[in-house]
Amino acid sequence: MSDTLEFNDIYQEVKGSWNDGRLRFSKQTVVYKSSKTGKVDSISVPELSQALWRRVCLGHGIKLCTTTGHVYKYDGFKDTDFEKISEYFKANYKVELTEKDMCVKGWNWGTAKFNGPLLSFEVSDSPVFEIPLASVSQCATGKNEVTLEFHQNDDTEVSLMEVRFYVPPTTGDEGADPVEAFAQNVLSKADVIQATGDAVCIFRELQCLTPRGRYDIRIYPTFLHLHGKTFDYKIPYTTVLRLFLLPHKDQRQMFFVISLDPPIKQGQTRYHFLILLFSKEEDINLTLNMSEEEVERRFEGKLNKNMSGSLYEMVSRVMKALVNRKITVPGNFQGHSGAQCITCSYKASSGLLYPLERGFIYVHKPPVHLRFEEISCVNFARGTTTTRSFDFEIETKQGNQYTFSSIEREEYGKLFDFVNAKKLSIKNRGFKEASDDMYSDSDDDQHDAYLERMKQEGKIREEANDSDDSEADESFNPGEEDEDIAEEYDSKASASESSGDDAESEEEKKKKPPKKAKIVKEKKTRKKEKKMKDSSAPKRPMSAYMLWLNSSRERIKAENPGISVTEISKKAGEMWKQLSKDKKEEWEGKAEEAKKEYERAMKEYREGGGGTSGSSKKEKKKGGKSEKKKKKKSSAVREREKERPAGNDSFKSREFISSEESSSESDRGKGRKRKVQTHTDTHLYRPLPADSTMTMVIVVG
């Protein structure tokens, strides 16, 4: 048999809510760790007095009782786990795991028994239900009944508000009231805060950030009392999870943070953290309201009756002794400015993020504490507004995401090394290598190798285009507008202008450019044709900088082992900037020779027929287009001259102009000829019924 037994997905009931966690049985201790809060329950093996195995709603459960009167219940075991756990208990704990069934008769009368911190209601010596008295917030008595009210848990969908017990009247030997006796047994173990007696000490007018205001803090043996001008809060020490003492970035102030579960409430607002702000320069002389013997007996040297020092030290020291929990301080992390925190924003509020040894904590609005064990992965993201900052994203195993934004880019290296050392999963691994390029400032006066190369290639491309006979902007041709207008007067036009209404409609059509959309489409297709490259054409020459970079690349790699590609470009840009004028002229001369060689090769390439097919097609296309355009333009001009009214002659539309009128003046002098003209109208081209007739007007002149 192994030395330990471990079980996952074991549940513990806390004020009506099931919290999952891990349970481990070892030879010395029984340890349960909650996955939600990280709180650890440790039970020493010699203190175990009883172990019960019971069938519960979540399968099977174990109830452990100790000699100190504490009871621990864990549910979620399988039926097959009983034999394994029972053998382990017998071998290591000398305690027998006993099976105890619950009563399911449904009776509502029985016997109430007080077993330490539990109130057990039993029927025929079998428990029906058990009430943890620590969950009782109030106990009220009536004539023959006792009413128990319970603390509410925000994590539960359904909460038990109260339970009433009817206590029958009995006459005892001393005549004691059974209702009062029942209530006293409940109050002795219930979590009912009663401010009886004097406070151990009082800290006055402390600045509190959450909840906001100035409060007098009264320290009692079992609870903490915050007394403000508007609100009062009573905080039991049992609800304190952790204590944090964090230095402010300005090194003049200190945060003292108290983590609470369950939180304190004010209306619908829940405060999971109590944050106090202290000045380092503020001192105090503190005297405890207890005798020296009582202080020594109760706190075992952790506190003295008379103490003096900084205010934040006194408050943290007293809280540590009363709550009996360690104070968490920042670890070895140091940011770019030497501080142990990072300035950032969370939910549009600026604050400080503290990387701790076992988690992160953000103060102060709203406070967030994230343990490493509940973090699924982290992510470094580019800032949304500027390249001077970046975002740090944390994703938990429950699926929640926390984004801390506006972190200065100088903090990236320190934070990345910290996350890497803690072995947290980084979503964008490899981010660090490109960090210098990713967060480079666009305003920095540095040589950009890529930009320089693009500029040089753009100049060469422009020179090559100037030497080519290719069309640069064929789609934009102002003469095409005349071509579109000329089509209005073409002999193929079908619209009639015989009536005034038709003439007006035709004039409106002339005002609108009808074929601009077609011009845009042609532009797109021609651009696509322009992108095609000939693989056999000579390659364009490189610039002086690129020639120098190709020759110096291996030397840069040798001098800087492990350097990335982006860092090589950055380093080369700096070296080129510092290069002497003579050296630069040498490489510029080589670039000029390469350019001449390219031009000579390009000339031979064109003379050998390279690229001629494409250019000839374009020339042919242009030639055909220009001839067609000239024909259309000349015919349009002639048509306009003929249609222009002369003297007092009435205006004639093109339908009344015969083909013989377009002949030369000499033909007119030979004599007057009979001319037959036909008048056609667009209205005549509409479909007609079968029995209808169509009239043709013949004008004889």
Side-chain angles (χ1 to χ4, degrees), residues 647-686:
N648 295 326
D649 292 345
S650 60
F651 175 77
K652 292 183 180 180
S653 64
R654 213 171 67 234
E655 285 80 6
F656 292 95
I657 300 172
S658 66
S659 59
E660 291 182 3
E661 285 182 8
S662 62
S663 60
S664 62
E665 294 294 332
S666 60
D667 293 337
R668 294 185 182 182
K670 291 179 182 179
R672 192 178 179 88
K673 294 184 179 179
R674 293 174 65 88
K675 300 170 187 174
V676 180
Q677 299 170 344
T678 60
H679 175 75
T680 59
D681 199 324
T682 54
H683 300 291
L684 299 178
Y685 288 97
R686 290 182 296 183

Side-chain angles (χ1 to χ4, degrees), residues 203-208 211-218 225-233 266:
F203 299 98
R204 300 194 179 276
E205 292 292 321
L206 296 185
Q207 184 180 356
C208 191
R212 188 175 180 182
R214 288 193 173 270
Y215 291 86
D216 293 341
I217 298 183
R218 295 184 171 89
H225 183 200
L226 269 70
H227 175 68
K229 294 181 179 179
T230 308
F231 303 111
D232 279 11
Y233 302 97
Q266 183 57 51

Side-chain angles (χ1 to χ4, degrees), residues 456-469:
Q456 190 67 23
E457 288 185 0
K459 290 179 181 178
I460 296 172
R461 193 179 296 111
E462 287 177 3
E463 292 172 2
N465 289 341
D466 292 341
S467 60
D468 269 344
D469 294 333

Side-chain angles (χ1 to χ4, degrees), residues 282-485:
E282 193 172 356
D283 297 332
I284 189 175
N285 294 320
L286 183 65
T287 301
L288 301 183
N289 191 18
M290 302 170 69
S291 63
E292 292 185 2
E293 293 79 8
E294 191 176 359
V295 171
E296 181 64 29
R297 177 177 56 82
R298 184 177 179 84
F299 300 112
E300 299 177 353
K302 296 178 182 177
L303 297 177
N304 299 322
K305 180 176 175 59
N306 297 307
M307 296 180 291
S308 61
S310 299
L311 180 58
Y312 73 90
E313 289 180 351
M314 294 297 102
V315 174
S316 58
R317 187 175 174 183
V318 170
M319 287 298 298
K320 180 182 178 182
L322 288 169
V323 178
N324 198 21
R325 294 196 179 276
K326 295 179 180 179
I327 296 179
T328 304
V329 297
N332 299 324
F333 176 82
Q334 276 195 343
H336 175 72
S337 61
Q340 294 178 297
C341 57
I342 296 172
T343 304
C344 61
S345 297
Y346 177 64
K347 290 187 176 180
S349 296
S350 180
L352 300 173
L353 179 66
Y354 290 85
L356 308 174
E357 288 300 317
R358 295 185 179 180
F360 295 96
I361 186 169
Y362 173 82
V363 289
H364 75 100
K365 192 176 180 180
V368 177
H369 178 234
L370 299 169
R371 294 173 287 115
F372 289 156
E373 57 194 31
E374 64 178 332
I375 294 176
S376 172
C377 62
V378 300
N379 182 36
F380 294 87
R382 185 188 294 273
T384 55
T385 57
T386 177
T387 57
R388 294 180 179 273
S389 63
F390 67 95
D391 297 347
F392 182 56
E393 300 171 354
I394 299 177
E395 188 173 335
T396 63
K397 295 177 181 177
Q398 287 76 23
N400 300 323
Q401 185 169 343
Y402 301 85
T403 302
F404 303 97
S405 58
S406 302
I407 303 176
E408 295 179 358
R409 64 175 182 174
E410 288 81 4
E411 303 285 2
Y412 171 76
K414 300 282 186 179
L415 185 58
F416 184 91
D417 293 339
F418 175 82
V419 171
N420 210 20
K422 296 301 178 182
K423 298 181 180 179
L424 296 177
S425 175
I426 302 175
K427 187 180 289 186
N428 50 354
R429 175 69 70 175
F431 178 89
K432 187 178 182 182
E433 294 182 1
S435 63
D436 293 334
D437 182 63
M438 185 172 184
Y439 299 118
S440 60
D441 189 1
S442 58
D443 297 332
D444 288 346
D445 187 16
Q446 295 178 352
H447 181 80
D448 192 338
Y450 182 76
L451 180 62
E452 189 73 22
R453 180 181 174 185
M454 291 298 102
K455 287 180 178 179
Q456 190 67 23
E457 288 185 0
K459 290 179 181 178
I460 296 172
R461 193 179 296 111
E462 287 177 3
E463 292 172 2
N465 289 341
D466 292 341
S467 60
D468 269 344
D469 294 333
S470 61
E471 50 184 345
D473 247 333
E474 235 182 57
S475 57
F476 177 73
N477 195 344
E480 287 186 3
E481 294 180 4
D482 296 335
E483 177 187 340
D484 295 337
I485 297 170

Side-chain angles (χ1 to χ4, degrees), residues 117 143 187 262 278 287 434 476 505 509 523 530 551 587 598 676:
K143 183 178 180 181
L187 290 172
F278 299 95
T287 301
F476 177 73
S505 63
K509 288 180 182 179
K523 188 175 181 180
K530 196 174 179 181
S551 66
W587 288 104
Y598 166 74
V676 180

Side-chain angles (χ1 to χ4, degrees), residues 468-677:
D468 269 344
D469 294 333
S470 61
E471 50 184 345
D473 247 333
E474 235 182 57
S475 57
F476 177 73
N477 195 344
E480 287 186 3
E481 294 180 4
D482 296 335
E483 177 187 340
D484 295 337
I485 297 170
E487 289 180 2
E488 298 283 340
Y489 298 95
D490 200 285
S491 60
K492 295 179 182 179
S494 59
S496 174
E497 296 177 13
S498 58
S499 63
D501 296 335
D502 292 339
E504 289 176 4
S505 63
E506 284 297 319
E507 287 174 4
E508 290 175 2
K509 288 180 182 179
K510 291 174 188 177
K511 289 178 183 178
K512 297 179 182 178
K515 293 190 178 182
K516 282 191 176 178
K518 291 183 180 178
I519 293 171
V520 175
K521 288 182 181 177
E522 288 177 2
K523 188 175 181 180
K524 288 184 179 178
T525 55
R526 283 165 188 160
K527 275 193 175 179
K528 286 181 182 176
E529 290 175 3
K530 196 174 179 181
K531 286 182 180 178
M532 295 176 62
K533 293 182 180 179
D534 190 354
S535 57
S536 61
K539 293 184 179 179
R540 293 189 178 92
M542 287 188 288
S543 63
Y545 170 75
M546 291 305 298
L547 290 172
W548 172 84
L549 178 61
N550 288 342
S551 66
S552 306
R553 192 187 306 273
E554 296 300 326
R555 179 167 57 86
I556 295 173
K557 286 183 180 179
E559 293 176 356
N560 303 275
I563 191 170
S564 65
V565 177
T566 54
E567 290 173 348
I568 288 176
S569 299
K570 185 177 179 181
K571 185 73 176 175
E574 294 174 356
M575 293 173 65
W576 176 259
K577 192 176 180 180
Q578 297 172 0
L579 207 64
S580 63
K581 188 177 180 181
D582 297 337
K583 290 285 185 182
K584 283 187 179 179
E585 288 178 355
E586 179 184 345
W587 288 104
E588 286 170 0
K590 291 181 180 180
E592 190 65 28
E593 291 177 4
K595 184 179 177 182
K596 291 178 181 178
E597 182 65 28
Y598 166 74
E599 291 174 352
R600 185 166 56 255
M602 198 68 187
K603 185 177 180 182
E604 293 175 359
Y605 169 72
R606 292 196 190 105
E607 290 175 355
T612 54
S613 57
S615 61
S616 62
K617 283 181 183 178
K618 289 178 182 177
E619 288 173 3
K620 188 176 180 182
K621 198 173 183 182
K622 284 179 73 177
K625 199 170 185 179
S626 60
E627 288 175 8
K628 186 178 179 182
K629 181 181 145 188
K630 285 178 182 178
K631 287 180 181 179
K632 285 190 177 182
K633 193 169 182 180
S634 60
S635 62
V637 171
R638 287 198 301 272
E639 294 286 345
R640 287 197 203 110
E641 290 174 356
K642 292 169 188 174
E643 292 175 10
R644 188 179 295 121
N648 295 326
D649 292 345
S650 60
F651 175 77
K652 292 183 180 180
S653 64
R654 213 171 67 234
E655 285 80 6
F656 292 95
I657 300 172
S658 66
S659 59
E660 291 182 3
E661 285 182 8
S662 62
S663 60
S664 62
E665 294 294 332
S666 60
D667 293 337
R668 294 185 182 182
K670 291 179 182 179
R672 192 178 179 88
K673 294 184 179 179
R674 293 174 65 88
K675 300 170 187 174
V676 180
Q677 299 170 344

